[in-house]
């Protein structure tokens, strides 16, 4: 005689849904190999950009000719005697320090993007931390653009301090690079806010399931 198995009121549950797209407490999602590979390669880009600007900054500190060329190029004063006469230390000490600030800000922003791509490469796709990194990178670009404009203004003023009264220069201007950095910063900040809200909704849906 065959026995009849009792019917269980609670059917066997299937596998738990993948919550890798949620935020905060989530585990890395099983991203495709192609996405992980691309994210790893993209993580190198901000490091290279920061390294190149860092090399340029060191060159400005150690070479008077390169410092004069950099000052003249960024300030739009090529061939101006004001630059050639004021690029030697100690007269150029404070202008060089001031011009170093935007580069450090840019380096910090590139580090945030590096962290973002590294998280993407290991499976964290839509979560709160990635959203925060995108927003912080956007703020970094805005600060970078602001400090670049301010540093050029202060550099021009400091380079002309030795001029007679009435011949000192106070120049305020924006370049296309500054405007682009401002636009990219605000766009990234908005994108980070949207991603953060999307991650919150994904968390809510995962908790309901």
């Amino acid at each position: 005689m065959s026995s009849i198995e009792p019917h269980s009121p609670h059917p066997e549950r299937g596998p738990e849904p993948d919550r890798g797209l949620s935020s905060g407490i989530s585990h890395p999602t099983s991203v495709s190999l192609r996405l992980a590979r691309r994210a790893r390669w993209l993580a190198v880009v901000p490091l290279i950009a920061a390294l190149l600007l860092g090399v340029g900054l060191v060159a400005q500190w150690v070479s008077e000719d390169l410092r004069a060329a950099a000052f003249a190029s960024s300030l739009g004063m090529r061939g101006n005697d004001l630059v050639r006469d004021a690029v030697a230390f100690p007269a150029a000490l404070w202008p060089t320090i001031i011009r170093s600030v935007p580069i450090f800000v840019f380096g910090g922003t590139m580090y945030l993007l590096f962290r973002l791509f590294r998280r993407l490469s290991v499976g964290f796709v839509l979560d709160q931390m990635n959203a925060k990194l995108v927003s912080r990178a956007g703020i970094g670009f805005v600060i970078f653009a602001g400090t670049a404009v301010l540093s050029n203004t202060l550099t021009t003023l400091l380079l002309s301090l030795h001029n007679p009264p009435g011949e000192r220069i106070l120049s305020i201007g924006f370049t296309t690079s500054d405007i682009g950095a401002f636009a990219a910063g605000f766009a990234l900040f908005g994108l980070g806010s949207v991603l953060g809200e999307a991650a919150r909704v994904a968390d809510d849906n995962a908790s309901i399931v």
Side-chain angles (χ1 to χ4, degrees), residues 39-51:
R40 281 195 295 268
W41 278 108
L42 288 173
V44 181
V45 175
L47 294 182
I48 295 176
L51 179 62

Side-chain angles (χ1 to χ4, degrees), residues 19-27 126-129 199-200 202-203:
R19 300 186 181 182
L21 295 181
S22 60
S23 64
I25 59 175
S26 64
H27 298 289
L126 182 60
D127 67 355
Q128 292 289 353
M129 179 54 68
R200 186 190 65 79
D203 263 351

Side-chain angles (χ1 to χ4, degrees), residues 96-110:
T96 308
I97 292 175
I98 292 174
R99 289 174 55 81
S100 301
V101 174
I103 297 179
F104 282 109
V105 174
F106 183 82
T109 304
M110 292 299 101

Side-chain angles (χ1 to χ4, degrees), residues 65-129:
D65 292 336
L66 292 177
R67 185 163 58 251
F71 281 20
S73 176
S74 62
L75 300 177
M77 303 167 66
R78 290 186 180 275
N80 196 311
D81 292 336
L82 174 63
V83 174
R84 290 196 298 267
D85 295 340
V87 293
F89 289 133
L93 178 61
W94 279 108
T96 308
I97 292 175
I98 292 174
R99 289 174 55 81
S100 301
V101 174
I103 297 179
F104 282 109
V105 174
F106 183 82
T109 304
M110 292 299 101
Y111 175 68
L112 293 174
L113 292 178
F114 167 76
R115 288 180 57 193
L116 172 64
F117 288 123
R118 286 295 299 169
R119 287 178 60 82
L120 291 173
S121 69
V122 297
F124 289 103
V125 179
L126 182 60
D127 67 355
Q128 292 289 353
M129 179 54 68

Side-chain angles (χ1 to χ4, degrees), residues 11 68 79 81 88 97 119 124 134 138 154-155 168-169 186 189:
D81 292 336
I97 292 175
R119 287 178 60 82
F124 289 103
V134 173
L154 294 178
T155 298
R168 293 167 186 172
I169 302 174
F186 285 116
F189 181 79

